[in-house]
Structures are given as C-alpha cells and as structure tokens.
Amino acid sequence: MNDTKQQVEDNEKRCRQAISGPENHAIFEPKPVSCLQHTLQGFSLCTRYSIALARQMRAVAFRLIYNTFLGILMGGICFEVGLGGQTARENAGYIFFSVIFLFIGAMVSSARRTNRYMCIYQRERFNRWYSSFSFYLAKMLAELPVEIIMSVPFASITYFMAGNPANLVYFTHIALCVVTACMGHVFGVLVVAVSQ
C-alpha cells in the first residue's frame, strides 16, 4: 500500500517536472523540417488536392458557367463603355467592378473549399504529418489553375463587350484579373485559417 502511494507521488512529480521543468522543454518543441521534406510534403499534398478538385468537376463547371454568364451580364451593362479606350472614368468603373467580382468570387469559393478540409488538416497537423506551410502552399498551387480558368473567360468577355481595343492592354487586363483572383483565393484561405 505504501509502495503504490509512493509510485503515485513519483508519477505526479515527474509529470509536474515534464510540464514545468526547463530541461524538458526540448521534448515538446517541434523538430526542424528540411527543405526536401517541405518539398515532398508539398508535392504529395498538391497531388491530393488536385485529385480532390478533379472529383469536384461539377462544381468547377458550374462556377465556370456562372462566371461566363456574369461576364456576359456585366459586359451588357458596360457595353461600349470603353469606346476604344478613350474614356478613362467609365473604364475605371468597369475595371473596379470586374476586380471586385473576381476577388469576392475567388474568396468565397476558396473559403468554402478550405473549410471542408480544416478538420482533416487539424487532425493530420496534430499528428505531425506535414507542416502548415506545406498545407497552404499545396492548396494554393493545386487551385491556381482553377482560378486562372475562372478569371480568363470573365475578363475576356467583359473586356471586349466594353468596347476596349485588342492590344497589349488586353493582356495587362487579363493579368490583373488573374492576380486579383489569386489574391482573393489567398484571402479566403486566410479568413478560414484565422477563424479556426
């Protein structure tokens, strides 16, 4: 009886030392991850999310149809606003609303997709299967082609329906729309990461 009481006290003492002792903090610190491990983790996660996106083709196709429809609708609203690129005020309004639509659309869709994976991510991160950096980078790289595919038709339709000229400015506008969609995607993932 006395031995079990002594064992319990010893166990409690060891637990208190493991929690508060400065010499034992090295046990609980995460181990450093090499660049090769980040690369391998990122590659496997990117493959996994690409496969998951390929399984959701119906949602991707619906979003593409939605963006195309809204591109035609917004092109109708801004029809011949550009007049060959001569009116800066109307063009600025057209570009502003295009950018806002692409940003919010990318943000909401990425937040919805990321929110589905958060419980899995938290479980796997707790088990130290991969780092947070690898998870978010792989998610961004896997969804980058989707963001490009979604923003190019919308930007092209609205650009030409607004009556803007087909020159180098067109490619600048497409690049601006793609970068804005990618920023919206990053912001959506960031909102989900902060809210969890």
Side-chain angles (χ1 to χ4, degrees):
M1 179 108 175
N2 211 3
D3 289 334
T4 56
K5 187 176 180 182
Q6 183 65 31
Q7 288 175 346
V8 168
E9 289 175 2
D10 288 342
N11 286 340
E12 287 177 0
K13 185 178 177 182
R14 273 188 252 134
C15 287
R16 273 189 247 112
Q17 285 177 348
I19 292 171
S20 64
E23 67 277 351
N24 295 324
H25 282 299
I27 296 172
F28 300 108
E29 291 179 3
K31 296 178 182 175
V33 180
S34 70
C35 184
L36 179 64
Q37 287 175 325
H38 274 301
T39 305
L40 293 175
Q41 291 171 357
F43 181 73
S44 63
L45 285 170
C46 193
T47 305
R48 182 168 96 179
Y49 292 123
S50 297
I51 291 170
L53 276 173
R55 289 180 183 159
Q56 299 174 355
M57 271 302 152
R58 185 175 293 155
V60 172
F62 176 74
R63 188 169 164 218
L64 181 63
I65 292 168
Y66 177 72
N67 278 8
T68 305
F69 173 73
L70 284 178
I72 293 169
L73 186 67
M74 188 169 170
I77 292 171
C78 298
F79 190 71
E80 295 297 324
V81 158
L83 296 175
Q86 296 174 7
T87 54
R89 185 175 181 191
E90 286 81 9
N91 264 343
Y94 150 70
I95 290 173
F96 174 76
F97 286 113
S98 295
V99 165
I100 291 297
F101 167 74
L102 287 171
F103 185 87
I104 291 175
M107 181 185 72
V108 169
S109 67
S110 68
R112 285 184 55 230
R113 280 195 300 261
T114 305
N115 203 15
R116 288 186 209 150
Y117 292 110
M118 285 312 285
C119 63
I120 297 168
Y121 161 70
Q122 288 171 348
R123 192 173 32 217
E124 291 173 351
R125 174 75 175 115
F126 179 73
N127 291 333
R128 295 186 182 186
W129 288 4
Y130 48 80
S131 64
S132 297
F133 176 76
S134 298
F135 171 76
Y136 289 113
L137 185 65
K139 192 135 188 60
M140 291 283 305
L141 290 176
E143 294 183 4
L144 183 65
V146 173
E147 295 304 329
I148 292 171
I149 290 170
M150 295 302 154
S151 59
V152 168
F154 174 82
S156 297
I157 291 169
T158 56
Y159 185 83
F160 289 117
M161 284 185 75
N164 291 311
N167 56 13
L168 188 61
V169 177
Y170 166 70
F171 296 107
T172 307
H173 177 70
I174 295 294
L176 173 76
C177 290
V178 168
V179 168
T180 302
C182 291
M183 285 175 29
H185 175 74
V186 169
F187 193 75
V189 171
L190 182 68
V191 166
V192 171
V194 169
S195 66
Q196 293 291 327

